[in-house]
Amino acid sequence: MLEAVEGLDLSAFEGGYRADGQGGAGYPPVVLVTLLFYCYSKGVRSSRGIERACWDDLGCRIITANRAVDRSTVARFVQRHRDALTQLFVQVLALCGSRGLVDLSAVAVDGSPMDANASRDSDKQLHRLEAVIARCEDEIGALMDDACDHARLVETGDIWDADSEPQRDDWPKLSRLCDLLARARTQGPGPAL
C-alpha cells in the first residue's frame, strides 16, 4: 500500500498545507491518504473506526509510524480534500487495472441487489406486442358480448330459472385482461430477441 500511494500524484493535497511555518505540524498527505486507502480496503470507513485502527491494527501503526491519528483529523482531511480523493480513486483504479488486479471492462459501484423487471418476456418485439393486444381485445370483446347476451336474456325473461344456471364470475379475468392490454399498449418495442 505504501509503494502504491507513493507512485500516485498527490500534488492536489500539497496545496492545502501552509508553507509559512504557522500552526502545528500536520501529517504528511501521503500518510493520511495511505491510511485512508488501507482502512477503506479493510472495510473501515468511519473516522472513529480509523482512529481505533491506529491503536489496534499493525498495518495502520506501520503507516502512521506508530502515531495515533485522531478522528477529527481524518474527518477534516476527507472533507477538505474530497475532490482530490475522488480523482485519486480513479488513479488507483487505473493502477489496479495496469497490474491486472481488476478487469476494467466492467466496473460496478457496489453489489446492491435490486428488484427489476428484466425477464425476456418483459421486453417484447413489436409484432409480439401487437399479437398480445389483439388477443386481449378479442377476449375482452367476447366476455363483454357474453355479458350483454346474458343481460338481454334476463331482461326479456328468456331465462326462467336463473338460480339453476351456474354462476359465472368473469370480472377477475376481465380485470387481468384489461391490465395486460394497458401494459402492452404502453410498452414500446424492445430489441430483437
Side-chain angles (χ1 to χ4, degrees), residues 159-173:
I159 296 180
W160 297 101
D161 193 8
D163 293 332
S164 65
E165 185 180 330
Q167 290 287 348
R168 292 179 46 191
D169 188 15
D170 292 330
W171 294 112
K173 182 177 181 180

Side-chain angles (χ1 to χ4, degrees), residues 35-57:
L35 180 66
L36 284 173
F37 282 171
Y38 177 75
C39 289
Y40 286 0
S41 70
K42 294 185 66 136
V44 180
R45 288 176 174 74
S46 71
S47 57
R48 291 179 189 270
I50 292 172
E51 180 184 26
R52 277 192 304 273
C54 287
W55 289 99
D56 300 336
D57 189 281

Side-chain angles (χ1 to χ4, degrees), residues 91-188:
Q91 289 182 39
V92 168
L93 186 60
L95 177 68
C96 290
S98 68
R99 293 188 178 181
L101 298 174
V102 294
D103 180 16
L104 295 178
S105 64
V107 176
V109 175
D110 64 1
S112 299
M114 294 182 209
D115 292 331
N117 188 6
S119 70
R120 286 190 142 185
D121 293 331
S122 69
D123 194 19
K124 296 182 172 67
Q125 294 177 335
L126 181 60
H127 71 277
R128 289 178 64 192
L129 284 173
E130 290 172 345
V132 168
I133 291 171
R135 181 181 58 85
C136 288
E137 287 174 343
D138 290 344
E139 289 185 33
I140 291 170
L143 285 173
M144 294 307 290
D145 289 344
D146 287 347
C148 289
D149 290 344
H150 182 72
R152 263 189 240 109
L153 289 174
V154 169
E155 284 179 12
T156 59
D158 290 341
I159 296 180
W160 297 101
D161 193 8
D163 293 332
S164 65
E165 185 180 330
Q167 290 287 348
R168 292 179 46 191
D169 188 15
D170 292 330
W171 294 112
K173 182 177 181 180
L174 183 63
S175 175
R176 284 191 304 272
L177 285 170
C178 289
D179 182 51
L180 180 61
L181 179 63
R183 283 187 285 130
R185 284 184 174 161
T186 59
Q187 184 179 9

